Amino acid sequence: MDFHIVIFRPALQGAGFLIIEKLLKYFYLATNTSFLVMKKRIRILCCVMLYTVHLQAQCPDGHELRKRILYLRDTLQTSVQDQLKELLGYAARINDCNYKNDSTHVYLLNRISDLYFKKADYLKSVQYRRQSIDIITANAGRPSTNIRSLPGRYYYLSVAYDSLNNFAAKMSALDSASTIAMRLQYMDRASLTALYKRVEYFFDIGDYHRCIDYAIKCEQLGTEYTSTEPRAGAYFASSSLGWHVEALLNLKQFEAAEVLLANKIETYKKEKLKDYIGLVYGQLAQVHVQKGDLEKALTYFNQALSYYQEDKDYFNCKQTLKDIGYQIYSRHFGDNEKALEYYTKALKFDYKDGDRFSKIDYDFESLNIYTNIATVYVQKGDFKTAVKYFQLAFDQVKPGCKEEDILRSTPQEIMQFKTIYYLTDLLISKAASFRKQFENDKQKSTISKAISIYKVADQLLDRIKAEQTDLQSRLFWRSDSRRLYESAIEACYLQQNTSDAFYFFEKSRAVLLNDQLNEKKFAAEKDIMQQSEIQKKILALQYEIDKTIKGTARLTELQNELFSYKQQLDQLKQIIKRNSPLYYQSFLDSNFITIAEVKQNILEDHKALVEIFTGDSAVYVLVITRQNARLRKISKTDYQELTTSFVNYVSSYDLLNKNYTSFRKTAEDLNQLLFQDIALPQGRVIISPDQQYFPFEALLINRPGQPLKWFVEDYAVSYTYSARFLLNDFNSGQTTGSNFLGIAPVNYPPAFTLASLLGSDQSLRKIGGYFNSAETQVGHNATRKNFLDQYSKYRIIQLYTHASDSSNHNEPVIYFADSVLYLSELVNEYKPFTQLIVLSACETGRGKIYQGEGVFSFNRGFAALGIPAAITNLWSVDDASTYLLTELFYKWLARGLHPDVAMQKAKLEMLQTVSKEKAMPFFWAGPVLVGKTGRIELNKPGYWKWIIVFAGVGCVGFLLVRKRFS
């Protein structure tokens, strides 16, 4: 009987065949007939069933179709091509079926997608997978559609995109899988895998804060999943914790890492999770390396190695041996021979088929080991051997690869590299080897090669930065890249190459601020508004989380909501990049500002630009004038001692008054240190400091024994975040707006414990008299909401209030009549009309210093919103002096002077009119102008209206007189 069924099989496909097969078996078992009789009956039955099958072929039964798909999936007799042929036939006819667009339809499309994937036709696989996703999404409310299958469908879509090397689409699909699963509060293995892959991705590109966000979420959901699949849930929970700790270690947050690791070894032993014990030992070793307890660190490393060897985890054996060689013997003991011994052992572990780690994981560990070996030979002065090992490191990316080839890789290829900082470290180390070699051979080509590789490393960092979404992660990388910029500037100094030095000076400062401005410039207004709304929700949630009791259900709910909004923000930023090619290109712009552009566009109406870079071992000063550019290297010890003493004196009246003679010497010495052999031309100068501002205006430029002469007497000073900031177009596009808005709360709520600013309202009204269309909001009208609603509509904003460079949120804060404004809350969906904001409050120019980006203060916050200039105070001064200097500034500004010149005039007039005591720099040097210094075009009074009125009155008068005389 089975023989005859096989004969009929080709003719009777699908559900029809299944029905005939059942009936034949029934007849054979139910009757005891001869084969000939049975054969006649079969012929009759086939005629009947062929007609039935013909009818059913138009719309096969849904239940039988599912069984047929399962049969084809599990059978070994039917080829992938034959399966596809049959299933595609069903797909072509399914539009006439009553179960179109239900779970059976989705199941069919997904099986077709799987078969195309097996054939390596990934485009077709994506096409059918997307169809299934579209059906589920469009019919989410129908009982016949299983919405819970959607996360899994997105995960397998990401796998197909990965095979197509469509990295952006892969990441988007992974995010959709995890986002939808969390929204549905349903988690399966595919959803958790999608979430976990995002954890790994964020770590690999150095977006450590987003890695931590995802790791926390994956650990939480993995723990919950243990009730369904204990081993899989434990894997996701424990592995995610491991990535969380790794991210903290890379962020150098060792104490936080140690807290997470506490008692984990005992927990894993008790739960028999031996796979993770070695990981915890290795991470504890890194914590103790940082503590300086090398003996304990080495013990932990060896314990980790023992567990990995027992588990045959060869990848982690390789990594642990490398860490022992570098962190213990090379970095701390300086025992390079012992380090080389461990590096050699580590290289013996290589990828084998079936390993749970990929070949690229092994390759990039080898890349890092070869980099370390090359660095050892550089330290020995054996540059020939070092070059050989640097090339072996590059070969791990691609055989024969050179540093220039890295930048020829597509952004998608670069983002798929594992542990990307291994690659940046390779580039920086190789460049440093050429710089060190130059000290021996003095060959121009050697130092030029170093500078060239430093530029490649810098451009690779730009590629990485373009993919990172979290500001804190990008700030960490900006800080971590200081080694690159200091080494590059030192190489330029050795070559006296001011052009390339200026490139690295500029790339070392306020690049993220420039990115924010480019986003506002190139992104669509609706995208900016949507992004602002999400940012506001994230801030509100973060504040509520800070106030919520730990361990409560409400806290979990808030954290889930926060995670969801952060995901939305990430996705929106990716959309903005895709829709705004110029915005994305601005991240990768290698044609950075040049000295020639500075001379042409910035020094057209200024005399000099002074930039300062503070490195770990030296300070570099670059002075650009219209005639030339000079690069100087000065002692960091001398610079720090003089600037610290100088700031301490000028910001403290008591200290300045008691030690005036010492202050004068300090102010003279600091000026000499900075401009020793440089004749700075008199006039308007721009200063770009590297870290905290100090007032150049209070330097003394007289020679010892000569009459006292302040820097401000010869120079109108302004400050900038970078030269490139000054080339931004801050035109908001608005054509209407008022000239002046003044805010003065005067009194504050008792909870603030702040002194009243008596007289600030009167000073504000006096200043308002210099402008037409001026508005003031004083007293209870000077609220936070009024300020945020109004400030973007005025050219000039004046704030008389209190401020602080720190708060309970660990960030700068400004006080209003009703509440406070934190720096992080400066989110505005509109491009402001404002050209200048004057923050007459203490410490508004101060904030947290981020290496590579400068001071995060309120003036920078307003700059990021698109306000080109701000005046802030570096310290607190008595009210009367503040009012006087501010009023003098506006007097000169209203006469049409540039803001920096108006500030210079105001300070000089104050020096000439106040008492000797008040002439000390404590009282006038605190306010500094940061940003662009172009003339502020004010709306002129409507004189023409009065001309018409007077003309009309004149005409009436003339007619009356004429009538009387006639």
Side-chain angles (χ1 to χ4, degrees), residues 483-499:
R483 178 168 70 101
L484 160 64
Y485 296 119
E486 180 171 8
S487 299
I489 291 170
E490 170 65 16
C492 294
Y493 174 76
L494 291 172
Q495 196 183 33
Q496 278 302 298
N497 181 346
T498 54
S499 296

Side-chain angles (χ1 to χ4, degrees), residues 341-568:
E341 181 184 322
Y342 275 91
Y343 296 152
T344 304
K345 287 180 182 177
L347 286 170
K348 291 178 181 177
F349 293 97
D350 212 343
Y351 173 75
K352 293 180 178 60
D353 289 339
D355 200 307
R356 66 189 179 96
F357 290 93
S358 67
K359 185 176 185 303
I360 195 171
D361 287 314
Y362 278 90
D363 289 344
F364 264 69
E365 278 305 308
S366 295
L367 180 152
N368 191 229
I369 294 166
Y370 284 128
T371 301
N372 291 345
I373 294 174
T375 302
V376 167
Y377 284 105
V378 169
Q379 292 170 358
K380 290 181 173 184
D382 186 350
F383 299 107
K384 186 176 180 180
T385 306
V387 167
K388 183 185 83 170
Y389 280 102
F390 278 129
Q391 186 55 52
L392 285 170
F394 277 106
D395 288 344
Q396 305 310 304
V397 179
K398 185 172 61 177
C401 179
K402 303 292 183 185
E403 53 269 7
E404 296 83 1
D405 297 328
I406 301 296
L407 292 183
R408 294 192 190 104
S409 304
T410 66
Q412 291 189 1
E413 289 172 335
I414 289 176
M415 288 308 108
Q416 292 189 77
F417 292 150
K418 289 288 182 179
T419 323
I420 196 84
Y421 65 85
Y422 284 174
L423 197 52
T424 59
D425 188 59
L426 166 60
L427 290 166
I428 295 170
S429 298
K430 185 176 180 182
S433 73
F434 280 104
R435 182 171 58 83
K436 190 171 180 64
Q437 185 178 343
F438 173 77
E439 295 172 5
N440 292 339
D441 64 21
K442 304 299 180 186
Q443 294 293 316
K444 186 177 179 181
S445 60
T446 305
I447 198 68
S448 296
K449 183 66 175 173
I451 293 170
S452 172
I453 299 174
Y454 281 129
K455 281 193 174 181
V456 172
D458 170 67
Q459 290 168 42
L460 177 60
L461 285 172
D462 284 342
R463 298 280 184 95
I464 297 168
K465 174 170 63 73
E467 298 302 319
Q468 294 170 341
T469 56
D470 185 84
L471 177 61
Q472 292 300 318
S473 293
R474 294 168 76 190
L475 285 169
F476 169 78
W477 273 81
R478 293 292 294 150
S479 173
D480 205 49
S481 63
R482 293 289 286 182
R483 178 168 70 101
L484 160 64
Y485 296 119
E486 180 171 8
S487 299
I489 291 170
E490 170 65 16
C492 294
Y493 174 76
L494 291 172
Q495 196 183 33
Q496 278 302 298
N497 181 346
T498 54
S499 296
D500 284 330
F502 180 61
Y503 171 90
F504 291 113
F505 264 85
E506 281 293 297
K507 291 305 290 285
S508 73
R509 63 197 61 223
V511 170
L512 298 186
L513 173 59
N514 202 64
D515 291 344
Q516 290 174 295
L517 292 171
N518 278 332
E519 183 180 309
K520 291 190 175 297
K521 179 180 178 181
F522 296 121
E525 190 168 320
K526 65 178 181 61
D527 289 333
I528 295 174
M529 291 180 68
Q530 188 177 352
Q531 186 171 310
S532 298
E533 285 303 312
I534 297 173
Q535 286 173 328
K536 289 176 182 177
K537 288 173 181 174
I538 287 172
L539 283 170
L541 284 167
Q542 286 173 333
Y543 290 154
E544 191 171 351
I545 286 170
D546 290 342
K547 299 174 185 176
T548 306
I549 300 171
K550 291 183 179 180
T552 60
R554 177 58 180 161
L555 181 61
T556 303
E557 182 185 327
L558 290 169
Q559 288 170 337
N560 289 340
E561 197 174 350
L562 177 62
F563 184 84
S564 177
Y565 277 120
K566 284 185 175 182
Q567 277 189 312
Q568 289 181 40

